[in-house]
Amino acid sequence: MPQSGYKQFCPVAMAAEVLCTRWTMVLLRELIAGSTRFNDLRRGVPKMSPTLLSQRLKELEGAGIVERKAAREGNGVLEYRLTAAGRDLRPVVEGFGFWGQKWVESQPSLNNLDPSLLMWDMRRNLNPSPLPKRRTVIQFQYPELPASKRDWWLVVEPDGDVDLCWSHPGFEVDLYVTTDLRTMTAIWMGLTTVAKERERIDLDGNNGIARTMQTWLGLSPFAAERKRVG
Amino acid sequence: MPQSGYKQFCPVAMAAEVLCTRWTMVLLRELIAGSTRFNDLRRGVPKMSPTLLSQRLKELEGAGIVERKAAREGNGVLEYRLTAAGRDLRPVVEGFGFWGQKWVESQPSLNNLDPSLLMWDMRRNLNPSPLPKRRTVIQFQYPELPASKRDWWLVVEPDGDVDLCWSHPGFEVDLYVTTDLRTMTAIWMGLTTVAKERERIDLDGNNGIARTMQTWLGLSPFAAERKRVG
DNA sequence: CAGTATCCTATCCGATACTG
DNA sequence: CAGTATCGGATAGGATACTG
């Protein structure tokens, strides 16, 4: 932010000085969602350059929002964790999200799709409880995309852990979901539903899993907020 | 914001795109506080250039947050009013304010004082009810400041309206408050109280008004949030 | 009073390549 | 894997003066 700092004693300005730099709110969303490792953060904020990510993390550390420390397991790998001040930003970030969901036109941002980011978010919010109590594999296929971004696998372990793979994990696939990225994104954002888009989605495989898709498919944390504009 | 736009479908990013440009949150605070005219907004955001203020107002209009229309009285004077989407930002802006009050060190921003801004905010939040039911005039004096910024008058009308003057309004002064700007600002922000700073404040005039200063002096909307850092 | 026009520069940031 | 180094360009926005 050019000539940074507002030089104002108002608390709103003081907060904005820290929070309203480019990418910062989006990065915070990713931290709040639970990512702690540098490359996990990158996946959640893929358009941010590593240089800037590194710089922002330092700024957030300086502002007392994030602390970096070595992960307890792992060979000196660093983790970024929110401090109390950072956790206190959750309602602020959620405020942004719900307001954005309610009032910002979504058509333009539906032109900026990213399968990697979508699948990464889906992985996080997936709800394993309606699924069988064994390992379940779901393959997503976006035929319109180039080969390297076309196929994705969500592997749901019996303990509820979900892994995202971009090459075949080797296990048998329980359900193939074939659709276009825009439809899948719109469903995930809560702008529409599996049922409404039924004709744009091809489900092939285990019938029970197919039928309950809307329930195991976790949606965006902001999906519940009803859109008020186009 | 350089290369603007996050090109992400996440609602947090969508909101941040609109809200996290320079000065925008601070401007919104002023709109939410009730200013509607261009020059009133300027007083609330004095460090913002008129060019940028004008530009931001247009952007906010484009985003559906503000609408501009001719004031009903007055000769075609424009007013800026929040739309429903804009009013819905109140909790978001307040979230910033409370978080900032709680977690951002205030010492640095207490080096960026501005008597004009402080008095402007005091004018807005003053609570007339403990004052006499007649016109009451309170003169603030900051001896350390240059003459042009030293003296300020708050004129409280019987109906509760408060005017701010920077030259003597002509009416008899009921109370002279003489202190330094830093002390007065810290009190207004809720970081300290009139009683605690009693020795730094000189009160001269009507005793009853002097004694109740802490009550008629309206504080910052965020004063109630307790600071958690230095 | 309520803004515009113009100019210019600081700086933010994106891209890419590279390292322990 | 987890970042750092370097570079250049775009652009945001500060300053100032001006107008209806």
Side-chain angles (χ1 to χ4, degrees):
Chain A
M1 186 143 284
Q3 288 79 319
S4 76
Y6 294 115
K7 312 226 164 126
Q8 244 186 245
F9 52 82
C10 164
V12 175
M14 289 155 54
E17 213 158 302
V18 183
L19 304 175
C20 286
T21 47
R22 186 154 165 76
W23 284 113
T24 302
M25 290 298 283
V26 187
L27 170 56
L28 282 169
R29 160 198 172 273
E30 191 62 20
L31 283 160
I32 287 166
S35 293
T36 61
R37 304 268 293 272
F38 193 84
N39 278 352
D40 283 353
L41 292 167
R42 285 194 73 175
R43 302 188 75 169
V45 196
K47 292 242 163 64
M48 190 180 189
S49 78
T51 309
L52 188 56
L53 173 56
S54 170
Q55 182 185 321
R56 284 285 180 273
L57 285 168
K58 279 174 191 156
E59 290 167 10
L60 290 176
E61 192 184 6
I65 293 170
V66 157
E67 51 191 8
R68 89 170 60 194
K69 44 183 168 185
R72 62 184 53 184
E73 47 169 328
N75 359 332
V77 174
L78 286 182
E79 278 188 340
Y80 299 90
R81 294 202 175 274
L82 293 168
T83 63
R87 290 190 294 276
D88 226 24
L89 282 171
R90 175 185 285 274
V92 175
V93 173
E94 286 176 349
F96 263 56
F98 284 118
W99 186 87
Q101 175 85 358
K102 189 170 176 184
W103 292 111
V104 180
E105 250 186 294
S106 36
Q107 294 317 313
S109 64
L110 279 179
N111 293 326
N112 296 117
L113 304 173
D114 180 337
S116 168
L117 183 54
L118 174 65
M119 298 306 300
W120 181 245
D121 276 338
M122 282 178 51
R123 178 202 68 98
R124 177 156 37 223
N125 288 64
L126 190 140
N127 168 21
S129 65
L131 293 176
K133 303 300 169 240
R134 52 170 174 80
R135 172 160 44 224
T136 308
V137 179
I138 298 146
Q139 178 172 351
F140 288 78
Q141 305 179 114
Y142 304 108
E144 84 272 24
L145 298 185
S148 67
K149 301 180 159 189
R150 189 175 300 148
D151 296 296
W152 305 82
W153 290 262
L154 289 176
V155 181
V156 187
E157 301 290 350
D159 64 2
D161 272 11
V162 186
D163 280 325
L164 171 63
C165 307
W166 53 101
S167 63
H168 199 296
F171 311 122
E172 191 186 348
V173 173
D174 295 278
L175 180 70
Y176 295 87
V177 179
T178 308
T179 182
D180 62 290
L181 181 55
R182 189 186 181 97
T183 299
M184 196 63 239
T185 303
I187 291 172
W188 189 78
M189 294 185 71
L191 305 174
T192 182
T193 62
V194 173
K196 281 186 199 157
E197 305 297 326
R198 200 58 194 73
E199 62 193 16
R200 296 179 200 277
I201 309 177
D202 186 61
L203 299 177
D204 183 17
N206 182 309
N207 255 317
I209 302 181
R211 224 174 315 106
T212 57
M213 178 167 169
Q214 184 76 44
T215 60
W216 54 258
L217 183 74
L219 302 189
S220 149
F222 309 110
E225 185 75 45
R226 280 279 295 288
K227 186 70 71 183
R228 296 286 302 269
V229 293
Chain B
M1 191 142 282
Q3 288 80 316
S4 75
Y6 294 116
K7 312 229 166 118
Q8 242 185 245
F9 51 82
C10 163
V12 174
M14 289 154 55
E17 215 158 302
V18 183
L19 304 176
C20 286
T21 48
R22 186 156 166 74
W23 285 114
T24 302
M25 290 298 284
V26 187
L27 171 56
L28 281 168
R29 161 198 171 272
E30 191 63 20
L31 284 160
I32 287 167
S35 294
T36 61
R37 305 266 293 272
F38 193 85
N39 278 351
D40 283 354
L41 292 167
R42 285 194 72 175
R43 300 189 75 170
V45 196
K47 292 241 163 65
M48 190 180 188
S49 78
T51 310
L52 187 57
L53 173 55
S54 171
Q55 181 185 323
R56 283 286 179 273
L57 285 168
K58 280 174 191 156
E59 290 167 9
L60 291 176
E61 193 185 4
I65 292 170
V66 157
E67 52 192 7
R68 89 170 62 193
K69 43 182 168 186
R72 59 185 54 185
E73 46 168 328
N75 356 333
V77 173
L78 286 183
E79 278 188 341
Y80 299 89
R81 294 200 173 274
L82 293 168
T83 62
R87 290 189 294 276
D88 226 24
L89 282 171
R90 174 184 285 273
V92 176
V93 173
E94 286 177 349
F96 264 57
F98 284 116
W99 186 88
Q101 175 83 1
K102 190 170 176 185
W103 293 110
V104 181
E105 249 187 297
S106 36
Q107 294 316 315
S109 65
L110 279 178
N111 293 326
N112 297 117
L113 303 173
D114 180 337
S116 168
L117 183 54
L118 174 65
M119 298 308 298
W120 181 245
D121 275 338
M122 282 179 51
R123 179 204 68 98
R124 175 154 43 221
N125 288 63
L126 189 140
N127 168 22
S129 64
L131 294 176
K133 303 300 169 239
R134 53 171 174 79
R135 170 161 44 226
T136 308
V137 179
I138 298 145
Q139 179 171 351
F140 287 79
Q141 304 179 116
Y142 304 109
E144 83 272 23
L145 298 185
S148 66
K149 301 180 160 188
R150 188 175 302 148
D151 297 296
W152 305 82
W153 289 262
L154 289 177
V155 181
V156 186
E157 300 290 350
D159 64 2
D161 271 11
V162 185
D163 279 326
L164 170 64
C165 307
W166 53 101
S167 62
H168 199 296
F171 311 122
E172 191 186 347
V173 173
D174 295 279
L175 180 70
Y176 294 87
V177 180
T178 306
T179 183
D180 63 290
L181 182 54
R182 190 186 180 95
T183 299
M184 195 64 239
T185 303
I187 291 172
W188 189 79
M189 292 183 74
L191 305 175
T192 182
T193 62
V194 173
K196 282 185 198 156
E197 305 298 326
R198 199 59 193 76
E199 62 193 17
R200 296 178 200 276
I201 309 177
D202 186 62
L203 299 177
D204 182 18
N206 182 308
N207 255 317
I209 301 181
R211 222 173 316 105
T212 57
M213 178 166 168
Q214 183 76 45
T215 61
W216 54 257
L217 183 75
L219 302 188
S220 150
F222 309 110
E225 184 76 44
R226 282 282 292 288
K227 184 70 71 183
R228 296 286 302 271
V229 292

